[in-house]
Amino acid sequence: MTPLNQEDQFAELVRLRRLFHRNPETGFTEFWTTARICEYLEPMNCSLMFGKDLQAALVEPERMEAQLNTKAYDQCLEKYPDDPWIPRFEGIPGVVVLFKGKKKGPRFGFRFDMDGLPIQEACAETHQPFKNGFASDTGNMHACGHDGHITLGLGLASLLSKNLEELSGEFYLLFQPGEEVLMGGRLYSKLGFIKDLDYFFSAHLGMSGPGMTSCGVSFFADKRLRVVFKGTSAHAGGAPHAGKNALLAACTAVNGLYGISRHSGGSSRINIGEFKSDNVVNIIPDHAEFELDLRAQTNPVMEYLLGRAENIIQGAALMQEVTHDIRFEAETETAPNSGEMVSEVRKACLDIGMKKEQILDRLQISGSEDATFIMNEVLRNGGKTTYIGIGSPSKGTHHNENFDIHEEDLPRGVNLLFQLAQNLSRTC
Ligand SMILES: [Zn+2]
Ligand SMILES: [Zn+2]
């Protein structure tokens, strides 16, 4: 295998991470990001699938249409008129890269998410990206470390490209849009080749303690619902009895939802992070809506939460004689980690020089992750999978304006993924 020049590798990974950190793009608007990924990979010994070809690779290509953001694409074309890549995407962000080893062997999938969040990045000397001049000033921020994930993907691509002669099998690298909006993973799970994968891995930075790696991270299932109440407006002084108060129904529902009993079968979370009722002070409010986020450790606990939530919303509507509508906005599933793959990650950690005490087999976290759709698709078709947590002493929590990864952890992540590919490639 081509030996690593550690200093050069680290400098290159830091350069890439900072390039992407400076210009975050939110879910399904990652056109500039996809362009830089393609530009980096094109000279390598691989094939790229993007734009309409990527859409055509979906089992149901029309599924892509609902996610596309034409306005954002047009703005991006206008902002970067000389970019040779962006026009080639035809409005579709994301790219899948295939490296083929010299000999036949297993099919691998590695997924890297690449979207930022609508958060204004901290402007403080204590915030390393600001201090070193690569913080974003666009109102969007890589506050979940996906800039680091792209970097892990490009670092892995670079090692695969240099070592294809020694490797057996096919290596698909999925640079997936729209993780934070929980739609990209579901879409990519329907790419035709996913069902043929023998092994599928995804990883997140900052999950596990500093210097640690978790070999099998489990996530909560997540359902996001928009709840809309419609009533009847009336004069607040003259005829309040003639009105049907949608605002009151929504408030009653919110109180009830936060009061759902916990389930002994597993942990759960409930949050209402947005509430709208655009009415006027002297009119009985005829409209109110909110977005509800339900999370559960297991699918049965999620079913319980959902059932209770629906009853509470329906009951609140009935109390005020208003109508209600519940729409699913997005969701993720839970996905089991294959025991055999958890062991393989442990072995790869040891192979790259990590100590036993730095390796954790299992980690349950209460966040959610849309790679679970791809994991479940792989499992349904006989493949094996696990989700890896790459510990990093991050400043600020994920999704916070002060969030920052520890760049020193990037080489560990890249080398771990490559070691996994090497080890499993040899077993065929
Ligand atoms: Zn996130
Ligand atoms: Zn994330």
Side-chain angles (χ1 to χ4, degrees):
M1 296 283 163
T2 301
L4 301 172
N5 176 332
Q6 290 184 359
E7 271 179 34
D8 285 355
Q9 185 202 33
F10 179 60
E12 179 62 354
L13 295 177
V14 168
R15 183 189 76 77
L16 288 168
R17 185 264 165 153
R18 295 184 178 193
L19 171 77
F20 291 107
H21 189 86
R22 196 190 295 270
N23 193 10
E25 294 172 300
T26 54
F28 283 97
T29 70
E30 305 96 325
F31 304 110
W32 176 90
T33 304
T34 305
R36 301 291 71 75
I37 292 169
C38 291
E39 185 176 73
Y40 192 79
L41 294 172
E42 195 191 28
M44 295 185 189
N45 207 352
C46 62
S47 53
L48 304 179
M49 182 164 58
F50 54 80
K52 294 285 183 197
D53 291 342
L54 183 62
Q55 182 176 13
L58 290 168
V59 176
E60 297 168 50
E62 62 280 6
R63 277 171 171 265
M64 182 77 90
E65 300 298 333
Q67 306 309 327
L68 300 184
N69 188 333
T70 328
K71 192 175 161 200
Y73 184 55
D74 290 344
Q75 285 170 347
C76 192
L77 285 167
E78 210 172 294
K79 190 171 174 188
Y80 304 103
D82 301 324
D83 193 296
W85 283 97
I86 297 169
R88 298 174 67 182
F89 301 149
E90 298 174 277
I92 298 168
V95 55
V96 173
V97 189
L98 173 60
F99 288 92
K100 286 187 177 176
K102 193 178 179 191
K103 285 173 275 175
K104 283 204 181 311
R107 290 198 176 97
F108 294 80
F110 294 89
R111 178 281 217 159
F112 306 96
D113 44 7
M114 54 186 198
D115 50 337
L117 287 154
I119 294 175
Q120 181 65 55
E121 185 157 9
C123 306
E125 286 298 315
T126 50
H127 184 56
Q128 189 262 140
F130 179 79
K131 189 179 171 192
N132 287 311
F134 65 95
S136 158
D137 60 1
T138 64
N140 295 329
M141 177 186 173
H142 270 298
C144 200
H146 299 186
D147 49 342
H149 299 173
I150 303 165
T151 304
L152 295 181
L154 297 181
L156 174 64
S158 185
L159 289 177
L160 289 172
S161 174
K162 286 175 191 150
N163 291 287
L164 287 177
E165 287 289 310
E166 324 281 336
L167 291 165
S168 306
E170 296 182 348
F171 304 86
Y172 289 89
L173 274 53
L174 289 70
F175 291 89
Q176 177 213 299
E179 191 282 326
E180 297 290 359
V181 293
L182 303 183
M183 297 308 274
R186 185 176 213 170
L187 195 66
Y188 272 38
S189 73
K190 297 298 174 194
L191 285 165
F193 65 84
I194 296 290
K195 65 179 184 338
D196 301 324
L197 294 179
D198 296 291
Y199 306 119
F200 174 73
F201 301 99
S202 195
H204 209 297
L205 285 157
M207 286 174 188
S208 303
M212 299 283 294
T213 292
S214 297
C215 308
V217 182
S218 298
F219 294 91
F220 276 28
D222 190 349
K223 282 192 194 291
R224 295 180 189 169
L225 300 92
R226 179 154 295 278
V227 183
V228 181
F229 292 94
K230 281 194 180 143
T232 308
S233 59
H235 194 289
H241 59 283
K244 308 287 184 200
N245 196 324
L247 173 61
L248 199 49
C251 291
T252 305
V254 169
N255 276 330
L257 289 165
Y258 275 107
I260 294 177
S261 298
R262 300 303 94 178
H263 193 294
S264 62
S267 302
S268 58
R269 304 280 188 276
I270 291 174
N271 189 53
I272 292 131
E274 183 212 291
F275 189 105
K276 281 187 207 157
S277 184
D278 265 350
N279 297 283
V280 181
V281 69
N282 59 350
I283 299 174
I284 301 295
D286 67 347
H287 176 264
E289 64 180 84
F290 57 82
E291 196 168 22
L292 171 63
D293 186 37
L294 298 175
R295 296 174 193 246
Q297 193 176 358
T298 66
N299 292 332
V301 173
M302 177 58 87
E303 277 171 39
Y304 158 79
L305 281 186
L306 198 56
R308 285 290 174 98
E310 282 170 346
N311 285 344
I312 287 165
I313 292 160
Q314 193 178 5
L318 200 61
M319 283 167 74
Q320 301 303 328
E321 298 178 32
V322 300
T323 63
H324 73 284
D325 181 39
I326 303 173
R327 289 198 298 268
F328 283 91
E329 301 265 288
E331 62 180 331
T332 63
E333 304 174 327
T334 58
N337 294 299
S338 313
E340 198 185 321
M341 290 302 101
V342 170
S343 304
E344 285 293 340
V345 176
R346 168 175 279 277
K347 180 175 180 307
C349 286
L350 293 170
D351 289 344
I352 62 166
M354 290 179 68
K355 297 190 177 75
K356 279 184 184 166
E357 53 272 25
Q358 291 177 289
I359 309 167
L360 196 67
D361 276 346
R362 304 273 181 176
L363 177 72
Q364 170 75 62
I365 66 158
S366 51
S368 301
E369 171 52 80
D370 74 350
T372 49
F373 284 110
I374 311 176
M375 294 171 75
N376 284 328
E377 189 70 15
V378 169
L379 288 167
R380 270 194 290 276
N381 288 285
K384 291 168 188 154
T385 182
T386 193
Y387 195 102
I388 305 165
I390 298 169
S392 196
S394 53
K395 299 238 176 73
T397 62
H398 290 80
H399 296 202
N400 175 276
E401 61 177 15
N402 289 301
F403 179 79
D404 184 24
I405 57 167
H406 201 224
E407 289 168 334
E408 280 72 11
D409 292 312
L410 292 168
R412 178 162 53 91
V414 170
N415 295 338
L416 172 61
L417 295 176
F418 181 60
Q419 188 69 45
L420 261 177
Q422 273 182 287
N423 291 353
L424 289 164
S425 173
R426 281 193 198 124
T427 59
C428 66

